PDB file of all heavy atoms in Angstrom:
ATOM      1  N   ARG A 315       1.590  -8.092  39.232  1.00  0.00           N
ATOM      2  CA  ARG A 315       1.643  -7.921  37.825  1.00  0.00           C
ATOM      3  C   ARG A 315       0.387  -7.262  37.275  1.00  0.00           C
ATOM      4  O   ARG A 315      -0.698  -7.341  37.879  1.00  0.00           O
ATOM      5  CB  ARG A 315       1.782  -9.326  37.115  1.00  0.00           C
ATOM      6  CG  ARG A 315       3.060 -10.000  37.447  1.00  0.00           C
ATOM      7  CD  ARG A 315       3.120 -11.346  36.631  1.00  0.00           C
ATOM      8  NE  ARG A 315       2.060 -12.254  36.918  1.00  0.00           N
ATOM      9  CZ  ARG A 315       1.791 -13.381  36.251  1.00  0.00           C
ATOM     10  NH1 ARG A 315       2.529 -13.687  35.213  1.00  0.00           N
ATOM     11  NH2 ARG A 315       0.784 -14.149  36.587  1.00  0.00           N
ATOM     12  N   SER A 316       0.546  -6.585  36.189  1.00  0.00           N
ATOM     13  CA  SER A 316      -0.622  -6.089  35.434  1.00  0.00           C
ATOM     14  C   SER A 316      -0.726  -6.895  34.169  1.00  0.00           C
ATOM     15  O   SER A 316      -0.054  -7.938  34.004  1.00  0.00           O
ATOM     16  CB  SER A 316      -0.400  -4.593  35.096  1.00  0.00           C
ATOM     17  OG  SER A 316      -1.581  -4.091  34.456  1.00  0.00           O
ATOM     18  N   PRO A 403      -5.507   7.309  49.150  1.00  0.00           N
ATOM     19  CA  PRO A 403      -4.914   6.668  50.365  1.00  0.00           C
ATOM     20  C   PRO A 403      -4.352   7.694  51.301  1.00  0.00           C
ATOM     21  O   PRO A 403      -3.668   8.660  50.864  1.00  0.00           O
ATOM     22  CB  PRO A 403      -3.864   5.789  49.788  1.00  0.00           C
ATOM     23  CG  PRO A 403      -3.448   6.391  48.492  1.00  0.00           C
ATOM     24  CD  PRO A 403      -4.695   7.024  47.953  1.00  0.00           C
ATOM     25  N   PHE A 452      -0.813   9.051  25.173  1.00  0.00           N
ATOM     26  CA  PHE A 452      -0.214   8.807  23.845  1.00  0.00           C
ATOM     27  C   PHE A 452       0.818   9.895  23.511  1.00  0.00           C
ATOM     28  O   PHE A 452       1.905   9.622  22.989  1.00  0.00           O
ATOM     29  CB  PHE A 452      -1.300   8.706  22.738  1.00  0.00           C
ATOM     30  CG  PHE A 452      -0.609   8.673  21.369  1.00  0.00           C
ATOM     31  CD1 PHE A 452      -0.126   7.484  20.884  1.00  0.00           C
ATOM     32  CD2 PHE A 452      -0.525   9.860  20.604  1.00  0.00           C
ATOM     33  CE1 PHE A 452       0.546   7.463  19.668  1.00  0.00           C
ATOM     34  CE2 PHE A 452       0.157   9.789  19.396  1.00  0.00           C
ATOM     35  CZ  PHE A 452       0.685   8.608  18.925  1.00  0.00           C
ATOM     36  N   SER A 534     -18.788   5.522  21.268  1.00  0.00           N
ATOM     37  CA  SER A 534     -19.694   4.658  20.495  1.00  0.00           C
ATOM     38  C   SER A 534     -20.325   5.494  19.362  1.00  0.00           C
ATOM     39  O   SER A 534     -20.622   4.896  18.293  1.00  0.00           O
ATOM     40  CB  SER A 534     -20.758   4.066  21.409  1.00  0.00           C
ATOM     41  OG  SER A 534     -21.566   5.076  22.052  1.00  0.00           O
TER      42      SER A 534
END
Side-chain angles (χ1 to χ4, degrees):
R315 295 185 300 170
S316 185
F452 172 79
S534 61

